[in-house]
Each structure stands twice: as C-alpha cells, then as structure tokens.
Amino acid sequence: MQTRSDEDIMMAVAQGELQLMAELFERYHKRIYNFLLQMVGDRAVCEDLTQNVFYKAIKYKHSYRGGKFVSWIFRIARNNLADHFEKQKRLNQNIDVEALGERPESVQAPNEEVAHLYQVMERLDVAEKELIIMHRLQGISYEDIAEMTGSTAGAVKVKAHRVVKKLRKIYFESA
Amino acid sequence: MDCKQFENNILDYLDGSLAEAEKQRFKAHLQSCASCQAELEAQQKLMTLFGQVPQETPSDRLRDGFLDMLAEEQQAQVVHMAHKKEFPWKTAFQIAASIALVMGGFFLGGLRSGDTSQEQISALQQESKVLKQQMMLALMENRSPSKRIQAVNYTEEIAQPDATLIKALADRLLYDANSNVRLAAAEALGNFKSSQQARAALIEALNTEKDPSLQIELIGILVRLQEKRALEPMKKLLETQETPIYVKEQLNNGITQLI
C-alpha cells in the first residue's frame, strides 16, 4: 500500500478532516521537537512550543496552499521560535544577552567532543545556528529551506557552506 | 584544482554531490596537498559529530496534549458547522416561501397579462437579491463575532458585489475588534478581484493592521492580486522596527513577486 503524501494529507486537513492531523503529528513532531530543543535546549519549553506548532497548523490550516508540507510546518516552528526568543528578551532585559543562547544543564552531550560542538555552535549567530540545525541535524534539503524562507536553493547552499566552514574553523581552533 | 577551489568543493564531495570530472580533480589535488588533506579530515570529523548529536524522544505529555487539543478542535468544528447550517436553512426557507407566494400571485396575474410577466419575474428576482443582501448587512453588525464571520462568509456567494456591500466588508476589515472577523473580511475582499474599492480597502488595512498574522494574510492576498500599489505600504512595514522577523520575510518574499 502506498503511503499518502504529507501534502495530500494536509490538503484534506485544510478541507476539514482534522483527525488526519494526528498522522502528520506522528510523522513530524519528533523532528520539530528536536529542532527546537537543539535551538533552545530546554525540554519542557520545547514540548510546549512543539504542541503550539501543531495547534497553529490546525488553526491556520486554510493558509496551507499546497507547497511542501515540511517547509510550511517548519515555517510555523521558526515563527514560534522567534516569538519565544522575543519573549525571553523582554523578560531578561537586564540579563546579558549573550547568556540567552546558552544551553541549560538539562541537555547533556553524549561525549566531550559533542559537548565541544554545542559550545562552538553557541558562537554562531541565531540564523547561522538555525541553518546548520535544519540542514545538517534535521536533514531538511536546501530546496525545502529555500521554500520556507522565501529564498533560492542556491543561495541557501552558499550560506550553509559558509557557516559550516566557519564552524569547522572555530571548532578546531578552540579544540 | 587549487586549494581555494578544493575548499569550496569539500562539502559537495562529502555529500556525494560532486560531478565525476570534478571528483577526479578533487582527488588529484588531495594526493598532492597535505594541508588540504587536513582540512578534509577536519570536515569529516565535524560531519561525524553532527551524526552523534542525539535525537531525543519527547515525553508522552506532548502527544497527550496534542490529542486533547485535536479533540477540542474537532468538537469546536462540529459546533461551528451546526451553527453554520442552522441559519441559512431557516432563512432560505422563509425567503423561498415568500418568493413562492408572491411568484404564485404574479403567475396568476401573468395569466391575465402574459407579456409583462417576464419583466415582473426578473424584478422579483432582483428584489430577493436585495433582501438577501440587506440581511447580510444587518448580520454584519451583530454583537457576536461568529455571526459577523458568518455574514462575511456569505458574501462569497455574490458574484457582482455593489459598493454598499464592499463598504460593509471594508469596515469589518478596518474597524472590527475581533481579528478573526477581520481575517474573514480580508479573505472575502480578496475574492473580489475586479473591485478597485476592495483593493483600496486591503491596501489601507496593510497600513493600519497591527496583528502579525493578519499582516501576513494581507500580504498574501495583495501579492496574489498582483496589486502593485501595495508595494509602498509593504516597504514601510519592512522598515518599521516593531515588525516581527517572519512578517518581514513574508514582505521580502512578496515584494520580489510584485516588482
């Protein structure tokens, strides 16, 4: 039996078959959760954010116009993330901004080298870190990222290559 | 291939997306350059580390929360649809009954004056259209937001809206306190592609609207209409500091589709 495409299912959801959203949740919630967790580092916060992503997907189902589903749902996830950072910034206006990106103790690296990678990733700016996490850690293609950000696959690739190179330099210079 | 080109090709090589000829030149350079070998090893190491970043499984709280939320939304949808049905059937029946009655009268009358009956029927159809529109306009002022949304959604059935109707929709879009009503009004106006008045209202809304999700919707509609006059307010919004990043992205995206 052939599985139904994400796009096909989302179109049906947009037309009112809400229960099908459960299938898309099963396919995507783990990736979205891990994307957010790698960006934010706090498990409880990221569970809430992930749930909110799917809440918005249902609430704004009519805004889905048939593009790649992964791009659409990750666009919502990124919007949620931006709102979250914005809120944090307002809450922590007196705290050093640099401290915001730091990983809370709750997420432990499996070994020292990965721990070092985490540290180095904090030295990228938010957009750079996001790009690396989406492409290299969550396996989203350049094309899909381009559709999500309103760019072109070529431009995304050039940027991603530049960031990976930067990461490599910082990683091995600070090893 | 020199070291700079080699560097530019490292990721494509490791991702396996280098063309065969390039791959050969890449390997040839690799044999002859120790520092590039070191760079390649470093990159390989980094890729291995990417693969070691754990992918966690969220707790059951997430799935439970999602399923609860989904059930609630389904419930709300059922209620909403029941609401939606309730109004048109009753009213439609009332209208149909009165039309039937009057038509019957005209038909009887028509038996006596055959040549004018066609005229009378079309006058009657016109009258029922006016009646329907008046009800819609009245409903748009209803205290309940969901009634107002309903009224706005009804306008979809109208192919040739008149100025009064567009004005009523524009008022909802610009002044309604409820963002869902404003959203419905924006969508309704967006459907009237040929109305300059509808377009003007959408452009004005983009100037005044503060809610990001509505801003996004408005941008989408105006881009779909290929409305060049929206470029000016879009540019303004892009330059406003308070505009959220994702709205700015939508703006950039939209502007490139308009210019």
Side-chain angles (χ1 to χ4, degrees):
Chain A
M1 200 183 87
Q2 207 161 7
T3 46
R4 216 169 155 186
S5 74
D6 301 338
E7 288 73 20
D8 217 26
I9 296 178
M10 189 60 215
M11 281 309 247
V13 172
Q15 277 153 24
E17 291 182 61
L18 291 191
Q19 77 285 358
L20 290 177
M21 200 66 196
E23 171 66 23
L24 292 173
F25 177 85
E26 290 309 328
R27 291 188 193 179
Y28 280 91
H29 79 278
K30 216 176 143 180
R31 260 169 106 185
I32 291 169
Y33 171 73
N34 278 287
F35 161 69
L36 293 167
L37 190 63
Q38 283 149 5
M39 286 301 290
V40 178
D42 184 314
R43 292 193 180 94
V45 167
C46 291
E47 284 182 0
D48 288 346
L49 283 173
T50 306
Q51 194 183 324
N52 199 27
V53 169
F54 284 94
Y55 174 70
K56 284 191 176 162
I58 290 178
K59 196 164 167 214
Y60 297 106
K61 56 186 183 293
H62 298 301
S63 77
Y64 178 72
R65 306 244 185 249
K68 282 296 283 281
F69 176 75
V70 62
S71 303
W72 186 73
I73 196 88
F74 265 87
R75 191 183 304 150
I76 301 177
R78 293 176 69 234
N79 291 348
N80 266 356
L81 185 65
D83 287 346
H84 170 75
F85 282 143
E86 203 52 45
K87 239 178 261 165
Q88 288 287 97
K89 215 155 81 186
R90 259 175 293 166
L91 283 173
N92 297 308
Q93 243 157 25
N94 300 323
I95 300 174
D96 188 34
V97 183
E98 291 290 308
L100 283 181
E102 267 174 35
R103 218 164 265 272
E105 293 298 313
S106 65
V107 175
Q108 289 288 336
N111 60 46
E112 261 178 54
E113 286 174 319
V114 174
H116 185 211
L117 177 68
Y118 285 169
Q119 278 171 9
V120 169
M121 280 174 64
E122 297 310 328
R123 288 166 62 181
L124 301 174
D125 68 39
V126 175
E128 292 173 336
K129 185 174 153 190
E130 192 177 45
L131 185 55
I132 289 300
I133 290 176
M134 285 196 293
H135 182 60
R136 291 288 164 188
L137 301 188
Q138 295 309 323
I140 304 174
S141 72
Y142 296 133
E143 285 78 14
D144 292 344
I145 293 175
E147 186 172 329
M148 187 191 312
T149 56
S151 179
T152 64
V156 173
K157 182 177 166 178
V158 168
K159 206 165 147 192
H161 278 203
R162 187 180 54 70
V163 180
V164 170
K165 187 179 166 187
K166 179 174 170 184
L167 194 65
R168 185 173 83 222
K169 293 268 180 279
I170 310 177
Y171 184 92
F172 288 99
E173 274 162 21
S174 58
Chain B
M1 188 175 285
D2 61 21
C3 292
K4 195 165 162 24
Q5 286 168 319
F6 183 89
E7 166 69 55
N8 288 337
N9 281 327
I10 285 183
L11 274 175
D12 283 335
Y13 174 75
L14 290 175
D15 287 340
S17 56
L18 215 53
E20 194 51 43
E22 286 287 294
K23 206 156 98 188
Q24 293 312 321
R25 269 178 283 175
F26 184 90
K27 282 181 174 166
H29 179 84
L30 188 62
Q31 298 296 327
S32 64
C33 181
S35 79
C36 281
Q37 272 172 30
E39 286 296 316
L40 181 64
E41 271 166 34
Q43 188 57 53
Q44 266 167 332
K45 174 79 201 165
L46 193 63
M47 301 294 233
T48 312
L49 287 178
F50 284 150
Q52 286 175 8
V53 171
Q55 303 294 323
E56 298 194 9
T57 302
S59 75
D60 288 341
R61 195 179 71 100
L62 175 58
R63 182 178 283 106
D64 293 346
F66 167 76
L67 290 174
D68 284 349
M69 183 264 290
L70 185 62
E72 256 172 53
E73 289 299 314
Q74 279 177 292
Q75 193 63 37
Q77 191 185 35
V78 171
V79 172
H80 184 69
M81 273 166 45
H83 260 286
K84 230 178 172 171
K85 274 182 192 150
E86 169 197 310
F87 170 70
W89 287 121
K90 208 162 80 188
T91 322
F93 179 73
Q94 285 163 352
I95 295 176
S98 54
I99 290 178
L101 197 67
V102 183
M103 278 251 268
F106 268 103
F107 188 64
L108 279 176
L111 285 178
R112 278 170 226 164
S113 52
D115 51 338
T116 54
S117 67
Q118 198 54 41
E119 220 171 277
Q120 284 164 336
I121 287 173
S122 76
L124 195 63
Q125 280 170 339
Q126 185 57 34
E127 207 171 298
S128 87
K129 236 188 227 170
V130 171
L131 187 66
K132 209 169 162 188
Q133 174 158 343
Q134 275 169 352
M135 283 188 335
M136 217 160 359
L137 292 176
L139 198 61
M140 255 189 234
E141 304 288 333
N142 195 291
R143 210 157 39 84
S144 142
S146 67
K147 289 280 177 206
R148 298 202 296 275
I149 292 178
Q150 234 172 48
V152 167
N153 287 340
Y154 274 138
T155 62
E156 276 171 18
E157 296 165 17
I158 297 173
Q160 295 288 329
D162 65 8
T164 329
L165 185 67
I166 301 257
K167 172 79 169 61
L169 285 174
D171 284 348
R172 285 303 116 216
L173 173 63
L174 293 167
Y175 309 118
D176 203 290
N178 184 298
S179 62
N180 290 325
V181 178
R182 298 205 298 280
L183 184 66
E187 280 169 354
L189 284 168
N191 287 333
F192 299 134
K193 292 185 184 61
S194 52
S195 163
Q196 287 304 319
Q197 198 189 351
R199 285 168 180 258
L202 288 163
I203 296 170
E204 192 185 342
L206 192 58
N207 270 317
T208 53
E209 183 60 57
K210 296 282 176 269
D211 183 325
S213 59
L214 262 150
Q215 288 172 336
I216 287 192
E217 188 66 26
L218 285 167
I219 296 162
I221 292 169
L222 286 162
V223 169
R224 204 168 63 235
L225 293 174
Q226 280 294 305
E227 179 50 71
K228 310 287 182 209
R229 283 171 297 171
L231 276 169
E232 203 45 51
M234 281 167 83
K235 233 175 81 223
K236 214 177 79 193
L237 208 53
L238 197 59
E239 285 156 6
T240 310
Q241 216 186 344
E242 293 85 68
T243 309
I245 301 169
Y246 52 93
V247 175
K248 288 191 175 171
E249 263 170 21
Q250 179 83 359
L251 283 165
N252 274 324
N253 198 356
I255 287 173
T256 53
Q257 289 180 59
L258 280 180
I259 53 174

